[in-house]
Amino acid sequence: KAGVTQTPRYLIKTRGQQVTLSCSPISGHRSVSWYQQTPGQGLQFLFEYFSETQRNKGNFPGRFSGRQFSNSRSEMNVSTLELGDSALYLCASSLNADRNYGYTFGSGTRLTVV
Amino acid sequence: AQSVTQPDIHITVSEGASLELRCNYSYGATPYLFWYVQSPGQGLQLLLKYFSGDTLVQGIKGFEAEFKRSQSSFNLRKPSVHWSDAAEYFCAVGPRSGTYKYIFGTGTRLKVLA
């Protein structure tokens, strides 16, 4: 079966712009989480969604937002981009709300802000 | 506070040598425990997970991990390392119930010498 698909793979944006990243989870997975990964900060949790409801949110400013659709696909949006937003953004899906089977990760979207 | 500690940022081993990557956690009740591996430019892949029962769990690629409740540790081991094992390894903990966050360690980067 298809894995977690993230689009686009690479993105270059200018400071002040906004960006939308997309994630299609594994078929049947209803839990989707987003992480930001940078060399200095490691994996930082952004959001977690289950059945279109945000269950958890990390410590990021309000410029970072997300949503999940009825087909479990998820998007995250970053408005007013800053240089520090340059990172690898990873989406991960899990079968159930407990995530006790672990996550399946996508390959990520590499965002560069110039 | 809930946390996952991977005390070794970098580890270098020779091909064929044994490997042990350390992971300690602080999470209140015993969580679910996971190890993931990340190759450069890719997402994370689940290596193995511990739910309950036998404290020695087997995973993919010849890896195993041992849960020690008294030490709050979940160390990853491999008897003989292959050059293809060079990657970054992340320990993670997740809640057995509720909406608590899934927490990742900061990672250990493994270098394998030929």
Side-chain angles (χ1 to χ4, degrees):
Chain A
K1 56 182 177 182
V4 177
T5 303
Q6 290 188 247
T7 56
R9 282 297 310 274
Y10 302 93
L11 207 49
I12 299 176
K13 289 287 190 179
T14 305
R15 271 183 304 174
Q17 288 186 312
Q18 75 163 13
V19 67
T20 299
L21 312 182
S22 179
C23 172
S24 293
I26 287 177
S27 178
H29 283 198
R30 295 164 61 193
S31 173
V32 173
S33 294
W34 289 88
Y35 288 85
Q36 181 196 66
Q37 187 177 30
T38 58
Q41 299 295 318
L43 280 161
Q44 300 288 309
F45 171 72
L46 282 156
F47 327 96
E48 182 214 339
Y49 290 90
F50 181 78
S51 292
E52 301 179 68
T53 300
Q54 187 179 88
R55 282 165 35 105
N56 258 312
K57 187 178 190 301
N59 297 322
F60 278 81
R63 301 185 295 107
F64 291 80
S65 63
R67 58 179 176 169
Q68 185 181 33
F69 302 95
S70 58
N71 62 358
S72 294
R73 191 177 70 85
S74 178
E75 288 181 347
M76 66 163 283
N77 184 276
V78 188
S79 62
T80 319
L81 284 166
E82 300 177 359
L83 295 179
D85 297 332
S86 295
L88 180 66
Y89 289 86
L90 292 167
C91 169
S93 74
S94 189
L95 181 64
N96 56 17
D98 287 340
R99 298 153 295 163
N100 55 353
Y101 292 97
Y103 280 130
T104 301
F105 280 83
S107 297
T109 294
R110 171 75 62 184
L111 172 64
T112 302
V113 182
V114 298
Chain B
Q2 301 166 346
S3 65
V4 176
T5 302
Q6 293 181 247
D8 303 305
I9 299 174
H10 298 278
I11 282 186
T12 300
V13 300
S14 298
E15 191 171 19
S18 63
L19 172 70
E20 182 168 27
L21 303 182
R22 296 181 290 165
C23 172
N24 292 92
Y25 66 89
S26 173
Y27 204 79
T30 301
Y32 294 125
L33 298 157
F34 307 86
W35 275 98
Y36 290 84
V37 61
Q38 184 180 32
S39 298
Q42 298 298 313
L44 283 70
Q45 180 184 19
L46 181 64
L47 281 176
L48 47 78
K49 54 186 178 284
Y50 172 77
F51 290 167
S52 63
D54 192 350
T55 56
L56 186 63
V57 294
Q58 303 297 319
I60 62 172
K61 305 186 181 190
F63 285 92
E64 64 181 25
E66 185 172 14
F67 168 58
K68 293 185 177 180
R69 183 188 306 274
S70 61
Q71 299 176 20
S72 296
S73 70
F74 189 55
N75 293 349
L76 182 70
R77 301 196 294 246
K78 186 169 186 179
S80 178
V81 170
H82 188 261
W83 64 266
S84 61
D85 293 325
E88 190 156 20
Y89 292 81
F90 293 89
C91 180
V93 300
R96 289 184 177 265
S97 63
T99 60
Y100 297 107
K101 295 174 186 174
Y102 205 98
I103 302 174
F104 284 88
T106 51
T108 297
R109 186 169 297 278
L110 174 66
K111 182 177 179 179
V112 180
L113 300 177

